[in-house]
Amino acid sequence: MTDIPDVLILGGGSGGYAAAFRAAQLGKTVTLIEEDKVGGTCLHRGCIPTKALLHAAEVADTVAHASKVGIGAELTKVDVAGIHAYKNSVVDRLYRGLQGLVKAHRVDIVNGTGRYVGGRSVEVGGTTFTGRSLVLATGSAARTLPGVDRGGRVLTSDEALELPTLPERVVVLGGGVIGVEFASVWTSLGAQVTIVEALPRLIATEDEWSSKQLTRALKKRGVTVRTDARCEAVTQQADGVTVALAGGDLLEADVVLVSVGRGPRTSGNGFAEGGIELDERGFVRVDGALRTSQDGVYAVGDIVAGPQLAHRGFAHGIHVAEVIAGRDRVLAEDSSIPRVAYCNPEVASVGLTEAQAREKYGEVSTVVYDLAGNGKSQILGTGGGIKVVRAQKDSGPVVGIHMVGERVGELIGEAQLTVGWGAYPDDVAALVHAHPTQSEALGEAHMALAGLPLHSHG
């Protein structure tokens, strides 16, 4: 192990290990401090295991509706232990691959809980490690509600991923991405689910059109959606749990999932004491290159205010490694980072919502293409649509794309290129999309916005 590595990294999640690998590729010596397993929340307790559960739920939906396409199959059993075995096998394979990459890049690993002690130094179990540059990548942790203690029948996403049995009734507190994804899983597996959201709509950071589409689809699937509803108390009994809402309503359930977002892991690890400036919500203050208030110290991923997404963490880690190596880099704006909620139906977006675009540009123009007109979507049996937002009414580029429907997350790559490169509707309308694919719906939406609709009844 190098005494003073070129790059010292605290935290081995998405942002941390991306910084480690890219720095090593650029010829830097790297030491990575991780208290658990490299891969962090995303690989072990977040993105990957959650999406494995969602795939199992998708299979259950397919079997349950097999008769609609002439296949004689019935959903007779949900083997929760088998689902967990499948989920864990996916995580294990990816973890083994990641461990191989750590060795291939010759990244030194220090196992233990690190505490920032000022400068570019971190203390682990009585030993101080110092780097020529330091990257803080400590990630995030599940938040809870005031007065609601986790444990027993009150779960966060961490416990929900390991729940050994399928509950019959679930109350989900919080209608953000985590909440709607778990609600989707449990609904597909046969549970009765109620989502309680304090704000006026689900997935409130997304375009209002997307929220309405998702809410309508979830209700059609049997999910009860309570918006503008605040939880006042959660009381556990031996055989259940009761959620008291403002106004006096009581909801009975087997378990409650608290999914009210994630907070940055910046307290209790020496950041403020060591001179790292934090904002009022506990996020690390950074400049446009992700430099903190301390010389030679950078912060990446969920501890930097903005969308808490694994791919944003990857991008941050790569950016910081290249800045440390002396390369010129421009950090992508948060609005250009694609977002996907992997519920059923999926919600995917990139760029500005219509409201944000109107605030920034004044006049805008929009079009919604209904997936009912798309052949592949009809084959899949999905509803939903694609909404495209254009700046400056009929003269500007595309600044936002919002999609709701089964598998629309797979379309986000083209949507990101369109928004990221500032394409005009005419540019995308001129492209040839394979038939029959859902990507045709993107083409049709841009054709309509360019004034050249083909499959349109308007």
Side-chain angles (χ1 to χ4, degrees):
M1 181 178 294
T2 305
D3 289 339
I4 302 180
D6 296 322
V7 184
L8 178 65
I9 302 170
L10 178 59
S14 304
Y17 83 70
F21 292 175
R22 181 52 53 89
Q25 290 170 344
L26 296 174
K28 302 297 182 181
T29 55
V30 180
T31 296
L32 177 63
I33 300 169
E34 170 55 46
E35 66 180 2
D36 190 8
K37 297 178 179 179
V38 175
T41 295
C42 174
L43 176 55
H44 300 287
R45 299 176 300 282
C47 313
I48 298 302
T50 304
K51 277 55 183 180
L53 290 184
L54 283 156
H55 178 62
E58 181 184 22
V59 172
D61 284 333
T62 300
V63 174
H65 300 119
S67 62
K68 293 183 178 179
V69 296
I71 303 298
E74 294 182 3
L75 183 60
T76 59
K77 179 183 179 182
V78 174
D79 180 1
V80 176
I83 292 174
H84 285 314
Y86 155 70
K87 173 201 68 182
N88 294 338
S89 71
V90 173
V91 172
D92 289 344
R93 286 195 299 272
L94 289 171
Y95 181 48
R96 287 195 297 271
L98 191 56
Q99 289 175 304
L101 288 171
V102 168
K103 292 180 180 179
H105 289 301
R106 298 181 179 178
V107 173
D108 292 323
I109 298 292
V110 175
N111 292 116
T113 300
R115 179 178 177 83
Y116 179 65
V117 292
R120 297 183 297 278
S121 298
V122 174
E123 185 269 330
V124 183
T127 301
T128 299
F129 298 85
T130 300
R132 293 182 174 87
S133 294
L134 171 63
V135 180
L136 304 176
T138 49
S140 61
R143 283 193 173 114
T144 188
L145 290 168
V148 178
D149 297 325
R150 63 193 287 181
R153 294 179 180 272
V154 179
L155 320 173
T156 67
S157 58
D158 290 351
E159 295 84 33
L161 282 169
E162 302 300 331
L163 199 61
T165 59
L166 177 64
E168 294 184 5
R169 302 167 301 164
V170 183
V171 172
V172 176
L173 298 179
V177 171
I178 295 172
V180 297
E181 287 186 348
F182 273 100
S184 187
V185 168
W186 280 320
T187 298
S188 296
L189 299 181
Q192 297 176 350
V193 180
T194 299
I195 302 175
V196 176
E197 171 55 55
L199 295 174
R201 57 190 178 92
L202 300 182
I203 51 171
T205 58
E206 293 294 334
D207 192 90
E208 187 173 355
W209 170 85
S210 298
S211 294
K212 291 179 178 178
Q213 291 283 316
L214 177 62
T215 301
R216 183 162 55 245
L218 289 177
K219 287 181 176 179
K220 188 175 180 180
R221 294 186 61 203
V223 177
T224 300
V225 178
R226 301 283 300 267
T227 54
D228 280 318
R230 292 189 176 276
C231 169
E232 288 196 334
V234 175
T235 306
Q236 297 195 51
Q237 299 90 33
D239 59 349
V241 59
T242 302
V243 177
L245 303 182
D249 286 355
L250 298 177
L251 304 178
E252 304 291 341
D254 298 309
V255 296
V256 169
L257 172 66
V258 182
S259 57
V260 292
R262 299 181 64 85
R265 295 183 63 198
T266 56
S267 63
N269 48 20
F271 285 10
E273 298 86 340
I276 299 295
E277 186 177 347
L278 308 178
D279 69 12
E280 62 280 359
R281 296 180 297 162
F283 292 97
V284 177
R285 293 190 187 276
V286 294
D287 66 9
L290 299 175
R291 299 183 184 91
T292 72
S293 55
Q294 294 294 299
D295 183 49
V297 182
Y298 302 79
V300 301
D302 286 358
I303 61 173
V304 177
Q308 293 176 314
L309 301 166
H311 43 285
R312 177 176 178 259
F314 289 138
H316 279 187
I318 293 169
H319 173 89
V320 162
E322 298 202 354
V323 168
I324 291 171
R327 295 191 170 193
D328 291 331
R329 286 277 299 188
V330 177
L331 186 64
E333 294 184 6
D334 283 343
S335 64
S336 70
I337 297 173
R339 308 173 293 274
V340 184
Y342 294 90
C343 44
N344 181 9
E346 292 183 350
V347 179
S349 66
V350 64
L352 304 178
T353 65
E354 180 178 346
Q356 290 168 337
R358 290 190 184 281
E359 182 178 349
K360 183 173 182 178
Y361 296 104
E363 286 193 328
V364 302
S365 54
T366 67
V367 70
V368 174
Y369 182 79
D370 196 320
L371 290 182
N374 177 259
K376 186 58 178 288
S377 297
Q378 284 296 299
I379 292 168
L380 293 174
T382 184
I386 293 176
K387 178 178 180 178
V388 182
V389 181
R390 181 179 194 176
Q392 299 153 355
K393 203 167 177 60
D394 296 326
S395 61
V398 174
V399 295
I401 297 177
H402 307 274
M403 302 179 285
V404 179
E406 188 173 338
R407 302 186 188 180
V408 294
E410 300 302 325
L411 305 180
I412 201 64
E414 180 179 339
Q416 181 188 21
L417 291 176
T418 299
V419 172
W421 283 343
Y424 286 75
D426 309 67
D427 298 328
V428 182
L431 301 176
V432 178
H433 293 81
H435 176 75
T437 64
Q438 286 185 294
S439 68
E440 288 179 285
L442 271 174
E444 292 276 0
H446 285 84
M447 290 171 70
L449 200 53
L452 301 168
L454 183 62
H455 296 92
S456 174
H457 297 284

